[in-house]
Amino acid sequence: RTTDTTVASTVVIHTSRPGVECQGTTYRTDGIALPLRACRTSQRPSDEAALGALKDQVTSLNVQSSN
């Protein structure tokens, strides 16, 4: 959704919400990890998938620029 932060940003990456649209982990205040399951589907990638795709693109650009 659009927020003041997304309006002010140059780049916005919309990802699915952990525990709502993809699995994830949350932590209680005492440090205990609680696994989360998706309760609905989304077309958006998870944070992990989006960061992995960015890493792959940066790696590809670094390889191309060194040739």
Side-chain angles (χ1 to χ4, degrees), residues 1-59:
R1 68 177 202 252
T2 302
T3 64
D4 291 341
T5 304
T6 60
V7 171
S9 299
T10 302
V11 176
V12 177
I13 301 171
H14 294 284
T15 58
S16 56
R17 295 175 289 169
V20 177
E21 299 163 333
C22 67
Q23 67 182 16
T25 304
T26 191
Y27 292 88
R28 295 187 337 193
T29 55
D30 60 359
I32 302 295
L34 301 172
L36 301 173
R37 292 180 290 155
C39 61
R40 67 179 200 189
T41 60
S42 173
Q43 298 295 346
R44 295 178 176 179
S46 66
D47 294 344
E48 181 179 16
L51 290 172
L54 284 171
K55 178 184 173 193
D56 293 345
Q57 286 292 321
V58 169
T59 301

Side-chain angles (χ1 to χ4, degrees), residues 55-67:
K55 178 184 173 193
D56 293 345
Q57 286 292 321
V58 169
T59 301
S60 173
L61 291 172
N62 287 337
V63 169
Q64 291 174 7
S65 66
S66 64
N67 289 335

